[in-house]
Amino acid sequence: MVLGKLKIDKKMNITNICCIGAGYVGGPTMAVIAQKCPHIKVSVVDLNEDRIAKWNDQNVDNIPVYEPGLGAIVAESRGRNLFFTTEVDRAIDEAQLIFISVNTPTKTYGSGKGMAADLKYIELCARQIARVSKNDKIVVEKSTLPVRTAEAIKNILDNTGNGVQFQILSNPEFLAEGTAVEDLLSPDRVLIGGDTSIEGQNAIKALVDVYANWVPKERILTTNVWSSELSKLTANAFLAQRVSSINSVSELCEKTGANVSEVAKAIGMDSRIGSKFLKASVGFGGSCFQKDILNLVYISKSFGLHEVADYWEQVIIMNDHQKRRFSKNIVTTLYNTIADKKITFLGWAFKKDTNDTRESAAIYVANDLINEQAKIALFDPKVSYKQALSDLNYLETRTSPENEKCLTVLDDPYEACKNAHAIAILTEWDEFKNYDWQKIYDSMLKPAFIFDGRNVLDSPKMKEIGFIYQSIGS
Ligand SMILES: NC(=O)c1ccc[n+]([C@@H]2O[C@H](COP(=O)([O-])OP(=O)(O)OC[C@H]3O[C@@H](n4cnc5c(N)ncnc54)[C@H](O)[C@@H]3O)[C@@H](O)[C@H]2O)c1
């Protein structure tokens, strides 16, 4: 039975889209769809009123997600065919196609704690869609989800809905923060997984037609739902694995006199290996890599595939080790005591060109150093005191007042470095390269140390100025 005026058993021309979740994925993705498809009304909804108010701020510099080029795209479409609202029910009701783009963090309780994806937000969305919908809808998993989640969503929709037909598609997002706009405008590929039935294929076609407004057809890949769900987890696992692989070699370089940048260049020129994602660093961060690998590990374990699980878990173990040995090295180099020493952090975001700090290596390094009673002075062009403090508090290592005593955030990098014993570079912001490093050196306590966790500074130049300069893997 088909109720309502939309029928997925026919060709569906999409003119109204809703996206649940106005975060780092939902916001930029929908802004680009709205820009490229002016004939489609796109409503981005969220329960978080503050976040929606920021997306609607007259001044696009204040939108909640910092991404180069995003402000201009939002300004172009907002109020025309792009809307940010907290009216979730209304937007669901009006839409033919609903993206679910809510967060899927690692579970912090119960079975699968610390590993499995917490699907409570996804389930809430499914139940809300089922309750509100009066006509057929295509529901698209944009969030990164464990394999076979689509089945659970379908179950909820089919059993709690009012006879409405739903087609579930998997359309994982591959954008990288910091280059989200570029990635969305010109994706390497768009992946759409759907059911093999006629209705499923029609739903896939409807979503393909949306992307085909700007993405060349040969870059739009269609698969079954399970392949699509698993491909996203696998892609992130492979990317993170490259970082952990080169980081493992960085430690070996430090012991042997090899230089990790030279090794990375030499191996990267082999076309089978390729040069991207081979930069040694203090470790990867971000909301996705760790969570998605843990998820892969959990799924593998739940199928009894312990060797597979152990293989991928090692990527996380290596990453944790890299962060820990970075902070340990700071302590040992500063004569085994950093109590009450001012250590300046340049960078807190998990990578450059984003204000996202989730799982940033900086948080863990700061936590280790505060355990040793260091005083952290932070400068990051896009991260506030409130954010950095809340990141530290989230670890629950100590109380907020205790963290407050150990952290200051300055809005001038030169002030942040004044009278510091050492500088630690935690994010590869381009501007760090162009600072007046002589001026910084002159203002620091001597000997003046730099621990470059992102290998961004010019080593010979730093040493010539007089710094004791240490980078990763050399
Ligand atoms: N951040 C990335 O770079 C990236 C890239 C690819 C995929 N992903 C995946 O995309 C998903 C979203 O990630 P994100 O970084 O955008 O998360 P986010 O935390 O920035 O945004 C999620 C938003 O969903 C909202 N939300 C949660 N439940 C809701 C509900 N029931 N109704 C309305 N709004 C609700 C939250 O308030 C929040 O604003 C995750 O599954 C993530 O793994 C993220």
Side-chain angles (χ1 to χ4, degrees):
M1 182 176 62
V2 178
L3 298 177
K5 52 187 185 321
L6 305 166
K7 292 190 181 195
I8 302 171
D9 55 358
K10 292 214 181 103
K11 184 178 177 313
M12 215 169 167
N13 186 23
I14 303 295
T15 54
N16 197 314
I17 287 177
C18 162
C19 172
I20 309 179
Y24 282 86
V25 168
T29 310
M30 293 305 124
V32 167
I33 291 183
Q35 187 204 34
K36 294 295 177 185
C37 312
H39 57 287
I40 300 179
K41 179 180 174 187
V42 180
S43 303
V44 190
V45 299
D46 205 295
L47 298 172
N48 184 332
E49 288 176 12
D50 180 50
R51 214 166 203 186
I52 290 296
K54 285 185 176 141
W55 278 112
N56 284 320
D57 197 301
Q58 279 302 310
N59 179 356
V60 286
D61 288 343
N62 297 332
I63 58 176
V65 171
Y66 172 72
E67 279 290 339
L70 181 60
I73 291 181
V74 169
E76 183 187 328
S77 311
R78 200 176 53 187
R80 180 191 69 189
N81 65 325
L82 175 65
F83 302 91
F84 295 93
T85 167
T86 50
E87 290 183 67
V88 184
D89 282 3
R90 191 174 58 78
I92 290 175
D93 179 34
E94 287 176 4
Q96 301 152 291
L97 190 147
I98 301 165
F99 285 97
I100 301 182
S101 191
V102 301
N103 35 332
T104 49
T106 305
K107 261 185 105 176
T108 52
Y109 54 88
S111 102
K113 178 180 169 178
M115 284 221 155
D118 190 343
L119 298 180
K120 73 177 171 210
Y121 305 105
I122 296 287
E123 177 164 348
L124 280 172
C125 286
R127 290 190 184 277
Q128 191 162 11
I129 294 169
R131 177 172 54 75
V132 171
S133 297
K134 296 197 275 297
N135 50 24
D136 296 354
K137 300 203 187 288
I138 300 171
V139 176
V140 185
E141 300 175 344
K142 185 53 110 177
S143 298
T144 304
L145 295 169
V147 194
R148 301 205 80 90
T149 306
E151 201 167 34
I153 295 180
K154 177 124 186 76
N155 232 298
I156 293 168
L157 290 173
D158 286 349
N159 288 299
T160 47
N162 21 9
V164 170
Q165 281 203 358
F166 295 100
Q167 275 302 317
I168 321 294
L169 300 179
S170 160
N171 172 220
E173 185 47 61
F174 293 100
L175 68 80
E177 287 180 35
T179 53
V181 170
E182 227 176 290
D183 297 343
L184 288 164
L185 290 175
S186 182
D188 286 346
R189 78 314 207 175
V190 166
L191 178 59
I192 301 173
D195 202 81
T196 46
S197 64
I198 293 174
E199 292 84 358
Q201 294 301 304
N202 284 336
I204 290 179
K205 169 90 174 53
L207 185 54
V208 167
D209 287 346
V210 171
Y211 283 109
N213 282 292
W214 79 98
V215 180
K217 277 261 169 74
E218 62 278 10
R219 289 204 201 165
I220 306 178
L221 206 64
T222 60
T223 63
N224 76 34
V225 184
W226 327 125
S227 302
S228 171
E229 287 179 336
L230 187 58
S231 297
K232 173 64 193 176
L233 293 181
T234 308
N236 273 354
F238 269 61
L239 289 169
Q241 180 204 43
R242 280 176 76 92
V243 178
S244 277
S245 296
I246 199 70
N247 279 345
S248 73
V249 172
S250 76
E251 193 171 12
L252 207 51
C253 286
E254 288 164 24
K255 299 284 179 220
T256 57
N259 179 318
V260 77
S261 306
E262 291 174 353
V263 174
K265 187 167 181 193
I267 63 166
M269 285 173 78
D270 185 325
S271 59
R272 293 167 302 176
I273 297 174
S275 60
K276 290 183 181 164
F277 250 74
L278 280 184
K279 198 152 173 19
S281 70
V282 57
F284 60 75
S287 66
C288 294
F289 281 1
Q290 173 160 315
K291 146 178 100 64
D292 293 349
I293 293 180
L294 287 172
N295 198 343
L296 201 61
V297 169
Y298 181 74
I299 293 168
S300 305
K301 279 190 179 160
S302 67
F303 285 112
L305 308 177
H306 297 291
E307 291 79 3
V308 177
D310 290 350
Y311 176 78
W312 288 110
E313 194 164 14
Q314 198 58 38
V315 174
I316 308 272
I317 293 172
M318 189 61 227
N319 196 49
D320 287 341
H321 170 67
Q322 191 76 349
K323 289 182 274 191
R324 258 197 323 272
R325 82 181 184 90
F326 185 77
S327 33
K328 219 164 154 186
N329 180 45
I330 294 179
V331 179
T332 43
T333 308
L334 297 185
Y335 316 110
N336 283 314
T337 173
I338 53 168
D340 291 323
K341 287 185 179 169
K342 175 176 175 180
I343 300 183
T344 300
F345 272 35
L346 292 181
W348 189 270
F350 84 93
K351 64 191 286 200
K352 73 172 181 179
D353 292 336
T354 177
N355 58 346
D356 195 349
T357 62
R358 289 176 289 182
E359 290 298 330
S360 178
I363 304 167
Y364 295 91
V365 175
N367 191 53
D368 286 351
L369 301 186
I370 294 173
N371 276 343
E372 296 288 335
Q373 302 185 353
K375 301 279 188 241
I376 308 291
L378 162 67
F379 170 78
D380 184 294
K382 290 289 170 196
V383 179
S384 65
Y385 175 69
K386 192 173 155 214
Q387 185 58 51
L389 182 64
S390 117
D391 291 335
L392 277 176
N393 289 344
Y394 186 76
L395 298 184
E396 294 183 348
T397 312
R398 55 193 86 73
T399 64
S400 184
E402 284 167 337
N403 280 327
E404 284 162 37
K405 276 191 216 144
C406 301
L407 176 74
T408 47
V409 175
L410 295 109
D411 51 18
D412 173 42
Y414 295 96
E415 276 303 310
C417 295
K418 202 184 265 174
N419 293 324
H421 287 263
I423 294 171
I425 298 183
L426 275 306
T427 312
E428 70 280 20
W429 288 101
D430 288 334
E431 65 176 67
F432 296 165
K433 293 179 196 157
N434 304 322
Y435 287 173
D436 181 344
W437 284 99
Q438 182 67 55
K439 180 174 160 187
I440 291 175
Y441 177 77
D442 293 341
S443 75
M444 286 175 67
L445 299 182
K446 308 295 176 323
F449 294 89
I450 296 181
F451 299 93
D452 188 347
R454 299 282 164 187
N455 292 357
V456 286
L457 299 182
D458 180 349
S459 168
K461 191 175 142 198
M462 293 302 128
K463 287 177 181 160
E464 199 186 304
I465 290 174
F467 284 108
I468 299 178
Y469 173 82
Q470 295 190 6
S471 56
I472 304 276
S474 68

